Amino acid sequence: MMAQSDLDLKEMALKEDLKFYFMNPCEKYRARRQIPWKLALQILKILMVTTQLVFFGLSNQLVVSFKEENTVAFKHLFLKGYSGTDEDDYSCSIYTQQDAYDSIFYVINQYRNLKNISLGTLGYEHEESGLKICKQQYKRGTMLPSNDTLNIDVSTETECILLKPKELTGKKAELKLNSSFFNLEFYRLIQVEISFKLKGIALQTIHARELPDCYAFQNTITFNNRAHSGKIKVYFDSDTDIQECKDWHIFNSVLQKNTQYILVFDGFVILSCLASLILCTRSIVLSSCPVVAFELFFTSLVGWPCSVRGR
Amino acid sequence: MMAQSDLDLKEMALKEDLKFYFMNPCEKYRARRQIPWKLALQILKILMVTTQLVFFGLSNQLVVSFKEENTVAFKHLFLKGYSGTDEDDYSCSIYTQQDAYDSIFYVINQYRNLKNISLGTLGYEHEESGLKICKQQYKRGTMLPSNDTLNIDVSTETECILLKPKELTGKKAELKLNSSFFNLEFYRLIQVEISFKLKGIALQTIHARELPDCYAFQNTITFNNRAHSGKIKVYFDSDTDIQECKDWHIFNSVLQKNTQYILVFDGFVILSCLASLILCTRSIVLSSCPVVAFELFFTSLVGWPCSVRGR
Amino acid sequence: MMAQSDLDLKEMALKEDLKFYFMNPCEKYRARRQIPWKLALQILKILMVTTQLVFFGLSNQLVVSFKEENTVAFKHLFLKGYSGTDEDDYSCSIYTQQDAYDSIFYVINQYRNLKNISLGTLGYEHEESGLKICKQQYKRGTMLPSNDTLNIDVSTETECILLKPKELTGKKAELKLNSSFFNLEFYRLIQVEISFKLKGIALQTIHARELPDCYAFQNTITFNNRAHSGKIKVYFDSDTDIQECKDWHIFNSVLQKNTQYILVFDGFVILSCLASLILCTRSIVLSSCPVVAFELFFTSLVGWPCSVRGR
Amino acid sequence: MMAQSDLDLKEMALKEDLKFYFMNPCEKYRARRQIPWKLALQILKILMVTTQLVFFGLSNQLVVSFKEENTVAFKHLFLKGYSGTDEDDYSCSIYTQQDAYDSIFYVINQYRNLKNISLGTLGYEHEESGLKICKQQYKRGTMLPSNDTLNIDVSTETECILLKPKELTGKKAELKLNSSFFNLEFYRLIQVEISFKLKGIALQTIHARELPDCYAFQNTITFNNRAHSGKIKVYFDSDTDIQECKDWHIFNSVLQKNTQYILVFDGFVILSCLASLILCTRSIVLSSCPVVAFELFFTSLVGWPCSVRGR
């Protein structure tokens, strides 16, 4: 009789447990007055990660548009006769010797007077690196197309000239610019490559109550005469690196507090992710929460970069 | 016997009424020689309201095209190097400091010589309001992008200069234009906003035998450097208000009579709408005309603005 | 017995007739050795009319392209700053007073020097008709948009100046061009219309072994300020009339013979159409050829203009 | 008994043969340890011919792009006011006499200074051939469009002037350029044709480790006034011939060896094609390989031009 009753009791308890197991949070609350704090934690975590993603996307969009507008501005500043839209995969093309010389010296002059021309917050890089002009050409050769005769040395040579920011004006610069380097022999010229590094500061982020970013633009203008078809294609390429500004003082700003808020918020995100992780691990161990397990995996993937950005 | 007959008579009358109730106008006319004047009134009202709508649409179309053509003309007058079509959501863009200064002074000069340049019937507004140039910039700061250093005061300041129509030429104007206000420091400049109010008169309505309208154009040209990307976007915005001309004398015109005709016509519309309203209210009270009730509601919605315009 | 046989014979004849009636031309030929010359006539007629249509189309295409190219050439000659493509339904637009004066005097100067500028075979018309400049404006008025005041006489007046080809240069012309006529008061100006007639000769038809055509171009340039919106729309309209050249001598040419051939060919077309007409009328009378009747109708419609052109 | 057995044996052999005949290469190898060298040969041949086709396509693509870029460069060099894109089937159009003269002399001047203008490796052809300017016009004539009168000699005459490379500057050239030849009478002018031959060398092939090609460009610029509509259409036509460079010395190059490799490779292709040919002929004779027969036909069609190119 006792055993029977004990068995009944056990069966009842199991039934109860099973019933409870398949209840939704509302029913659980009604059954045992148990607050569904695990669910609340999950929802909180999703909300926090989503918020972080949105912030991340917005600040990223600023960065992308800043880079694109800078590239367009560089093309207008340094490419002579740039129409505003690229031809094919190159930006513009040159058909006469005079235009070729003009375009090259246009780049140099615009670079020299950059401070007085550019609207952006641009500056030269270190004193060492400056404007580097390299011409690549066949070593020597004579070509007389009229007689179908051609003497050419296939091996190429590359000559370079470096104009440091310090030397942009004055005697030394003039000497360099008047040197024989700029007597281009187009029949053996392969390409002229002008490269320079500029530094810029994006202030727009301040409006978004974030710290300003410092940028380094590695610009390369290539006059490509590889085809020797009478058409030099001009390529413009701008590689942008984001760097931390070394030395900044921002007055009257809520940036400091704001970054503290962001840090605190990031801390909460990490905490809630950790709590979720522990709960889910426990659930997996108890073999009762595969769905949450998947979510755990997904969350750790998504939440990580966001948390990292917060620093 | 009597009661029976009386009941029969009542039944007959009810039958007759019901029959009559469901008759269409033609049958009604054939049955009782009753002229369907209520229907005629409804048709008349619909015709009159439609006519009014067509007149309203035509005169509105004139207004819209006048506004649009004026905006295009303003863009050609005040934006230097405007190509005729807008880029993206802004009208044109500037890439060099010289172009920025040129564009700003171009607006000022065009405004000063407006009378000798513009083809439209434009005039300055009151003597008090004139050309207002405001520049918004960060309070103070130094930026050395080369060293990644940045000292900036995030709070912004807004400086303004006002050029009154009286002072457009002469010593005072020159002093203002040569002031340090126009030494723009692009690295901390956020935007320059030039705003001015012009008044114009649309004569085209006279051809449509209507009274001329006086317009007030509130033009705002914004040089947006918010992104500090080396590209200043130029926005042109023109807000147009229609005002009644205060003091007009129009000779040899049929406008007076015409407006009288329109007033008479509007009177008839109001009368027919009122009659329709009374008839329908009666029908609703007699609970026999839900369709007309709906029409009443619709008519009052549509007919009202038209009647108002008539004045 | 006799009657029976007679009846049989009649039946046989009818059967034979019916059978023949429904035969195709090949079977008819095999049955009675009858040559289908009616069919041949129809085919011949169709071929001849088609040939005529093709010739007609080709010579017409020359005329259309000549007119179009002339219109494009006129626009480039007489419209200052014409871009090569029309804006909307007008050719170009003007936004400043200076441009308006320049555009008007540009037309006059181009007209005066037409012989030294134009590439086409153009000439002025009679000595009487010349360049006619008409300005339409409100009779009198003052407008002060600043004060919202407007005094205007709605009735319009039209002033005209005529520059005869003889007077294009010299004192009289200068007097006319310096007259107060050209002090445009834009606030009351409605439109300026410049019209002139030019004559031209299309030589290209000579290559097609046809006689050259003489053309009269009635050109009208309208500066439309009707909207008073600050934008003058410039319309160019060219009406072209083909006229017979009065006095032509063409040497070393096969044109004479060629036109004779065409006349002979046209004669044959008319003859074959006539024969077809007679045959079909006969068929219709005999009530046996409704299809041919339709064709007759169609042919007379199509063949007529072609035959007429032959002269 | 013996016969029976013999018959059985024969049947067995036939069965075996048939079985073997329908085996795939793997089964054949397993059955008789026979290496499928015929299959290997076919696969080898397909690989080699494909390789040849790819090389052929790549070198052809270089040739085509070189020709196209040269044509574009010529249009920019020789057509005054060329916009970069062709109108319709002609490159640009002229509307005034001044523009016509300017465009013609522009071609002559650009040709004279070609060495100092062009970016390509271009040279004049032999000393004999030079710049040939031909004008075709009606023999004589007077046209007075004003009076609709026209005297014209339909027979055309063609006058030519030849500017040899030697005479481009100096007294003789000036005399020629100032001669009455350049007094164009546009009313009887049909067309002006300027033709010249230029020689060029394509160096880009050197990068592909091939021998450079010498090109002869036969350029023809036609000013077409055939329509006499006031619009001269300018056509540019460039016929390109590839010629072997007569006299070339290329230093520091692997070209020599490379061509030897290509010759050896071509030899192998020819050998494998021949072997395949013989095998397939044998198969066709034995009536057992229609598929291979088709392939043989296909291969000989495709393989031939590739082998030829190899030289």
Side-chain angles (χ1 to χ4, degrees):
Chain A
M1 207 57 180
M2 189 76 177
Q4 176 76 19
S5 151
D6 196 46
L7 214 77
D8 277 9
L9 269 175
K10 267 185 178 168
E11 201 188 304
M12 282 287 280
L14 198 70
K15 262 187 183 170
E16 190 78 357
D17 269 11
L18 264 174
K19 212 170 140 193
F20 187 75
Y21 190 80
F22 287 105
M23 275 176 181
N24 64 34
C26 291
E27 290 169 337
K28 279 183 188 172
Y29 179 70
R30 256 183 254 126
R32 298 195 190 167
R33 297 278 142 193
Q34 183 183 353
I35 296 160
W37 59 273
K38 287 183 207 166
L39 182 74
L41 180 70
Q42 295 301 332
I43 290 169
L44 185 75
K45 193 193 65 186
I46 289 168
L47 286 179
M48 288 171 96
V49 169
T50 306
T51 313
Q52 231 180 9
L53 270 174
V54 168
F55 278 133
F56 184 61
L58 285 178
S59 83
N60 226 19
Q61 192 259 336
L62 270 184
V63 169
V64 168
S65 81
F66 182 77
K67 280 185 191 175
E68 276 180 6
E69 285 189 8
N70 258 301
T71 303
V72 171
F74 285 143
K75 283 184 183 172
H76 275 96
L77 282 187
F78 292 112
L79 301 186
K80 207 189 170 203
Y82 180 62
S83 67
T85 45
D86 281 14
E87 304 174 36
D88 219 13
D89 61 331
Y90 47 94
S91 293
C92 50
S93 42
I94 295 171
Y95 297 99
T96 64
Q97 293 180 15
Q98 193 56 46
D99 282 356
Y101 284 116
D102 287 356
S103 295
I104 290 168
F105 284 109
Y106 186 78
V107 177
I108 298 169
N109 279 325
Q110 294 288 91
Y111 179 79
R112 284 161 102 178
N113 301 315
L114 194 63
K115 294 253 169 188
N116 303 324
I117 293 171
S118 166
L119 294 167
T121 53
L122 294 172
Y124 305 124
E125 230 218 349
H126 319 285
E127 292 303 299
E128 281 72 46
S129 86
L131 189 80
K132 195 176 175 189
I133 310 171
C134 289
K135 65 173 177 182
Q136 191 191 357
Q137 55 186 15
Y138 294 117
K139 235 173 195 166
R140 72 211 144 91
T142 52
M143 268 189 232
L144 298 168
S146 308
N147 307 334
D148 292 340
T149 59
L150 164 70
N151 291 297
I152 201 138
D153 190 336
V154 170
S155 58
T156 60
E157 60 180 10
T158 306
E159 272 182 80
C160 287
I161 267 188
L162 185 69
L163 279 173
K164 290 188 192 169
K166 272 190 275 185
E167 315 166 350
L168 285 177
T169 48
K171 249 187 184 172
K172 211 169 170 187
E174 291 314 314
L175 268 177
K176 275 190 183 173
L177 291 178
N178 290 327
S179 70
S180 65
F181 176 84
F182 288 106
N183 289 334
L184 303 174
E185 288 167 313
F186 290 98
Y187 71 90
R188 64 188 184 109
L189 180 76
I190 298 173
Q191 71 173 25
V192 174
E193 200 179 271
I194 305 178
S195 58
F196 50 93
K197 211 168 189 170
L198 294 175
K199 296 211 137 194
I201 298 171
L203 280 178
Q204 200 163 21
T205 47
I206 295 180
H207 295 286
R209 299 187 182 284
E210 288 190 36
L211 288 178
D213 293 313
C214 282
Y215 286 81
F217 302 99
Q218 175 65 50
N219 294 329
T220 311
I221 301 169
T222 312
F223 298 83
N224 185 336
N225 192 32
R226 201 169 291 274
H228 286 89
S229 64
K231 174 182 182 173
I232 290 184
K233 297 173 186 169
V234 185
Y235 294 84
F236 183 88
D237 191 51
S238 182
D239 281 329
T240 316
D241 279 324
I242 304 183
Q243 297 171 340
E244 276 187 54
C245 292
K246 286 179 199 157
D247 189 12
W248 50 268
H249 301 280
I250 295 169
F251 309 102
N252 292 324
S253 173
V254 287
L255 291 187
Q256 283 81 358
K257 294 178 233 158
N258 196 15
T259 45
Q260 286 169 3
Y261 287 142
I262 287 176
L263 277 177
V264 169
F265 180 71
D266 285 352
F268 274 113
V269 172
I270 292 170
L271 272 183
S272 67
C273 281
L274 265 178
S276 174
L277 178 73
I278 293 161
L279 282 172
C280 282
T281 317
R282 178 175 150 273
S283 296
I284 291 165
V285 169
L286 299 175
S287 298
S288 61
C289 186
V291 174
V292 177
F294 171 74
E295 199 198 351
L296 163 81
F297 180 70
F298 182 72
T299 303
S300 57
L301 269 183
V302 168
W304 197 242
C306 310
S307 306
V308 167
R309 185 201 55 86
R311 256 178 310 128
Chain B
M1 205 64 177
M2 191 75 177
Q4 176 77 19
S5 152
D6 197 45
L7 216 78
D8 277 11
L9 269 177
K10 267 187 179 164
E11 202 188 303
M12 283 288 278
L14 198 71
K15 263 186 182 169
E16 191 78 357
D17 271 10
L18 266 173
K19 210 171 141 194
F20 187 75
Y21 189 81
F22 287 105
M23 275 177 181
N24 64 36
C26 290
E27 290 168 337
K28 278 184 189 171
Y29 178 70
R30 257 184 252 124
R32 299 197 188 166
R33 297 280 142 192
Q34 184 181 352
I35 296 161
W37 59 272
K38 287 183 210 168
L39 183 76
L41 181 70
Q42 296 302 332
I43 290 169
L44 186 73
K45 196 194 63 186
I46 289 168
L47 287 179
M48 287 171 96
V49 169
T50 306
T51 313
Q52 231 180 8
L53 270 175
V54 167
F55 278 132
F56 183 63
L58 285 178
S59 84
N60 226 17
Q61 192 259 335
L62 270 184
V63 169
V64 169
S65 80
F66 181 76
K67 280 185 191 174
E68 277 181 5
E69 286 188 7
N70 258 302
T71 304
V72 171
F74 284 142
K75 283 184 183 171
H76 274 97
L77 282 187
F78 292 111
L79 301 185
K80 207 189 169 202
Y82 180 61
S83 67
T85 46
D86 281 13
E87 304 175 35
D88 219 13
D89 62 331
Y90 46 94
S91 293
C92 50
S93 42
I94 295 171
Y95 297 99
T96 64
Q97 293 181 17
Q98 193 56 47
D99 282 356
Y101 284 116
D102 287 355
S103 295
I104 289 169
F105 284 109
Y106 186 77
V107 177
I108 298 169
N109 279 325
Q110 294 288 91
Y111 179 78
R112 284 160 102 178
N113 302 314
L114 194 62
K115 294 254 169 188
N116 303 323
I117 293 170
S118 165
L119 293 167
T121 53
L122 294 172
Y124 304 125
E125 229 217 351
H126 321 286
E127 293 303 298
E128 280 72 47
S129 86
L131 188 81
K132 194 177 174 188
I133 310 171
C134 288
K135 65 172 179 182
Q136 192 190 356
Q137 56 187 14
Y138 294 116
K139 236 175 194 165
R140 73 212 143 90
T142 52
M143 268 188 233
L144 298 168
S146 309
N147 308 334
D148 291 339
T149 58
L150 164 71
N151 291 298
I152 201 136
D153 189 338
V154 170
S155 58
T156 59
E157 61 181 9
T158 305
E159 272 183 79
C160 287
I161 267 189
L162 184 70
L163 279 173
K164 290 190 192 165
K166 272 190 277 188
E167 315 165 351
L168 286 177
T169 49
K171 250 186 182 172
K172 211 169 167 186
E174 290 313 314
L175 269 177
K176 276 192 182 172
L177 292 178
N178 290 327
S179 71
S180 65
F181 176 85
F182 288 106
N183 290 332
L184 302 174
E185 288 169 313
F186 290 98
Y187 72 90
R188 64 186 184 110
L189 181 75
I190 299 174
Q191 69 173 25
V192 175
E193 199 179 272
I194 305 179
S195 58
F196 50 92
K197 211 168 189 170
L198 294 175
K199 296 211 136 193
I201 298 172
L203 280 178
Q204 199 164 21
T205 46
I206 295 180
H207 296 286
R209 301 190 179 284
E210 289 189 36
L211 287 178
D213 293 314
C214 281
Y215 286 81
F217 301 100
Q218 175 65 50
N219 294 329
T220 310
I221 301 169
T222 311
F223 298 84
N224 186 335
N225 192 32
R226 202 168 290 273
H228 286 90
S229 63
K231 173 181 182 173
I232 289 185
K233 296 173 187 170
V234 184
Y235 294 84
F236 183 89
D237 191 51
S238 182
D239 281 328
T240 316
D241 279 325
I242 304 182
Q243 296 171 340
E244 275 187 54
C245 293
K246 285 178 199 159
D247 189 12
W248 50 268
H249 301 280
I250 296 170
F251 310 101
N252 290 323
S253 171
V254 288
L255 290 188
Q256 283 82 359
K257 290 177 237 160
N258 196 17
T259 46
Q260 285 170 4
Y261 287 141
I262 286 176
L263 276 178
V264 170
F265 180 71
D266 284 353
F268 273 114
V269 171
I270 292 170
L271 272 184
S272 67
C273 282
L274 265 179
S276 176
L277 178 74
I278 292 160
L279 282 173
C280 283
T281 316
R282 181 175 147 273
S283 295
I284 291 166
V285 170
L286 299 176
S287 298
S288 60
C289 186
V291 174
V292 177
F294 172 74
E295 198 197 351
L296 164 80
F297 180 70
F298 183 73
T299 303
S300 57
L301 270 183
V302 169
W304 197 242
C306 310
S307 304
V308 167
R309 183 202 56 85
R311 253 177 313 128
Chain C
M1 203 68 178
M2 189 73 178
Q4 176 76 19
S5 149
D6 195 45
L7 214 78
D8 277 12
L9 271 177
K10 267 186 179 167
E11 203 188 301
M12 284 285 280
L14 198 69
K15 264 184 182 171
E16 190 78 356
D17 270 11
L18 266 173
K19 210 170 139 193
F20 188 74
Y21 190 79
F22 287 106
M23 276 175 178
N24 64 35
C26 290
E27 291 168 335
K28 277 184 192 173
Y29 178 71
R30 257 184 252 123
R32 297 197 189 168
R33 298 279 142 192
Q34 186 182 352
I35 296 161
W37 59 271
K38 286 183 210 169
L39 182 77
L41 180 69
Q42 296 301 333
I43 291 169
L44 185 73
K45 195 193 63 186
I46 289 167
L47 287 179
M48 288 171 95
V49 170
T50 306
T51 313
Q52 232 180 7
L53 271 175
V54 168
F55 278 132
F56 184 62
L58 284 179
S59 84
N60 226 19
Q61 192 259 333
L62 269 184
V63 169
V64 168
S65 81
F66 181 77
K67 280 184 192 176
E68 278 180 4
E69 286 188 7
N70 258 300
T71 303
V72 171
F74 284 143
K75 282 183 183 171
H76 275 96
L77 282 187
F78 292 111
L79 302 185
K80 209 189 169 201
Y82 180 63
S83 68
T85 45
D86 281 13
E87 305 173 35
D88 220 13
D89 61 331
Y90 47 94
S91 293
C92 51
S93 42
I94 295 170
Y95 296 98
T96 64
Q97 293 179 18
Q98 194 55 47
D99 282 355
Y101 285 116
D102 287 355
S103 294
I104 290 169
F105 284 109
Y106 186 77
V107 176
I108 298 169
N109 280 325
Q110 294 289 90
Y111 180 79
R112 283 160 101 177
N113 301 315
L114 194 63
K115 294 255 168 187
N116 302 324
I117 292 169
S118 166
L119 294 167
T121 52
L122 293 172
Y124 304 126
E125 228 217 351
H126 320 286
E127 292 303 299
E128 280 73 47
S129 86
L131 188 83
K132 196 176 172 188
I133 309 170
C134 288
K135 65 172 177 182
Q136 194 191 354
Q137 56 186 13
Y138 295 116
K139 236 175 194 166
R140 72 211 145 93
T142 52
M143 272 188 230
L144 298 169
S146 309
N147 308 333
D148 290 340
T149 58
L150 165 71
N151 291 298
I152 201 137
D153 189 338
V154 170
S155 57
T156 59
E157 61 181 10
T158 306
E159 272 184 79
C160 287
I161 266 189
L162 185 69
L163 278 173
K164 291 187 192 169
K166 271 190 278 186
E167 315 165 351
L168 286 176
T169 49
K171 251 186 184 173
K172 214 170 166 185
E174 291 313 314
L175 270 176
K176 278 191 181 172
L177 291 178
N178 290 327
S179 70
S180 65
F181 176 84
F182 288 105
N183 290 334
L184 302 174
E185 287 169 313
F186 290 98
Y187 71 90
R188 64 184 183 112
L189 180 76
I190 299 174
Q191 69 172 27
V192 175
E193 198 180 274
I194 305 179
S195 59
F196 50 91
K197 211 168 187 170
L198 294 175
K199 296 210 134 193
I201 298 172
L203 280 177
Q204 199 164 20
T205 46
I206 294 180
H207 296 288
R209 300 189 181 283
E210 288 189 38
L211 288 178
D213 293 313
C214 281
Y215 286 81
F217 302 99
Q218 176 65 49
N219 294 329
T220 310
I221 300 168
T222 311
F223 298 84
N224 187 335
N225 193 32
R226 202 168 291 273
H228 286 88
S229 64
K231 174 182 184 173
I232 290 185
K233 297 173 184 169
V234 185
Y235 294 84
F236 183 89
D237 189 53
S238 182
D239 281 329
T240 316
D241 280 324
I242 304 182
Q243 297 171 340
E244 276 187 51
C245 293
K246 285 180 199 156
D247 189 13
W248 49 268
H249 302 280
I250 296 169
F251 309 102
N252 291 325
S253 171
V254 287
L255 291 187
Q256 283 81 359
K257 291 179 237 161
N258 197 15
T259 46
Q260 285 170 4
Y261 287 142
I262 286 176
L263 277 177
V264 170
F265 180 70
D266 284 353
F268 273 114
V269 170
I270 292 170
L271 272 183
S272 68
C273 282
L274 265 179
S276 175
L277 178 75
I278 293 163
L279 282 173
C280 283
T281 317
R282 180 174 148 272
S283 296
I284 291 165
V285 170
L286 299 176
S287 299
S288 59
C289 185
V291 174
V292 177
F294 172 74
E295 198 199 353
L296 164 79
F297 181 69
F298 183 73
T299 304
S300 55
L301 270 183
V302 168
W304 197 244
C306 310
S307 305
V308 166
R309 184 202 54 87
R311 253 180 313 127
Chain D
M1 204 67 175
M2 189 76 179
Q4 178 75 19
S5 149
D6 194 45
L7 214 76
D8 277 13
L9 267 177
K10 265 184 179 169
E11 203 187 303
M12 284 286 280
L14 196 68
K15 264 186 182 169
E16 190 78 356
D17 270 11
L18 265 173
K19 211 169 141 195
F20 186 73
Y21 190 80
F22 288 106
M23 275 174 179
N24 64 35
C26 290
E27 292 169 335
K28 278 185 190 173
Y29 179 71
R30 258 184 252 122
R32 299 199 188 166
R33 298 279 143 190
Q34 184 182 351
I35 297 162
W37 59 273
K38 286 183 209 168
L39 181 75
L41 180 69
Q42 295 301 332
I43 289 169
L44 184 74
K45 194 192 65 186
I46 288 168
L47 286 180
M48 288 172 95
V49 169
T50 305
T51 313
Q52 230 180 8
L53 270 174
V54 168
F55 278 132
F56 183 62
L58 284 178
S59 83
N60 226 18
Q61 193 259 334
L62 268 184
V63 169
V64 168
S65 81
F66 182 76
K67 281 185 191 175
E68 277 180 5
E69 286 189 7
N70 258 300
T71 303
V72 171
F74 284 142
K75 282 183 184 172
H76 275 95
L77 282 187
F78 291 112
L79 302 185
K80 208 191 169 199
Y82 181 62
S83 68
T85 47
D86 282 13
E87 306 174 34
D88 219 14
D89 61 331
Y90 47 94
S91 294
C92 51
S93 42
I94 296 170
Y95 296 98
T96 63
Q97 293 180 16
Q98 194 55 47
D99 281 356
Y101 284 116
D102 287 355
S103 294
I104 290 169
F105 284 108
Y106 187 77
V107 176
I108 298 169
N109 279 325
Q110 294 288 90
Y111 179 79
R112 282 160 102 178
N113 301 315
L114 194 61
K115 294 253 168 187
N116 302 324
I117 294 170
S118 166
L119 293 167
T121 53
L122 293 173
Y124 305 125
E125 229 217 349
H126 319 286
E127 293 302 300
E128 280 73 46
S129 87
L131 188 81
K132 195 176 172 189
I133 310 171
C134 288
K135 66 173 177 181
Q136 191 190 355
Q137 55 187 13
Y138 294 116
K139 238 176 193 164
R140 72 212 144 92
T142 52
M143 271 189 230
L144 298 169
S146 308
N147 308 332
D148 291 341
T149 58
L150 166 70
N151 291 298
I152 201 140
D153 190 336
V154 172
S155 57
T156 59
E157 60 181 10
T158 306
E159 272 184 79
C160 287
I161 267 188
L162 184 69
L163 279 174
K164 291 188 190 167
K166 273 190 278 185
E167 314 166 351
L168 285 176
T169 48
K171 250 188 185 173
K172 213 169 167 185
E174 291 313 314
L175 269 177
K176 276 190 183 172
L177 291 178
N178 290 328
S179 70
S180 64
F181 176 84
F182 288 105
N183 290 333
L184 302 174
E185 288 168 312
F186 290 98
Y187 72 89
R188 64 187 184 110
L189 181 75
I190 299 174
Q191 70 173 24
V192 175
E193 198 179 274
I194 305 178
S195 58
F196 51 92
K197 211 168 188 170
L198 293 175
K199 296 211 136 193
I201 298 172
L203 280 177
Q204 200 164 20
T205 46
I206 295 179
H207 296 286
R209 300 189 182 285
E210 287 189 38
L211 288 178
D213 293 313
C214 282
Y215 285 82
F217 301 100
Q218 175 65 49
N219 293 330
T220 310
I221 300 169
T222 311
F223 297 84
N224 186 335
N225 192 32
R226 202 168 290 272
H228 285 91
S229 63
K231 173 182 183 172
I232 290 185
K233 297 172 186 170
V234 185
Y235 294 84
F236 183 89
D237 190 53
S238 183
D239 282 329
T240 316
D241 280 324
I242 304 182
Q243 297 170 339
E244 277 187 51
C245 292
K246 284 180 200 157
D247 190 12
W248 49 270
H249 301 281
I250 296 168
F251 311 102
N252 292 324
S253 170
V254 288
L255 291 188
Q256 284 81 359
K257 292 178 235 160
N258 196 17
T259 44
Q260 285 169 2
Y261 286 142
I262 287 177
L263 276 178
V264 169
F265 180 70
D266 285 351
F268 274 113
V269 172
I270 292 170
L271 273 183
S272 67
C273 282
L274 265 178
S276 176
L277 178 75
I278 292 162
L279 281 174
C280 284
T281 316
R282 178 174 149 274
S283 295
I284 291 165
V285 169
L286 299 176
S287 298
S288 62
C289 185
V291 174
V292 177
F294 171 75
E295 198 198 353
L296 163 80
F297 179 69
F298 183 72
T299 304
S300 57
L301 271 183
V302 168
W304 197 243
C306 310
S307 305
V308 167
R309 184 201 54 87
R311 251 179 312 124

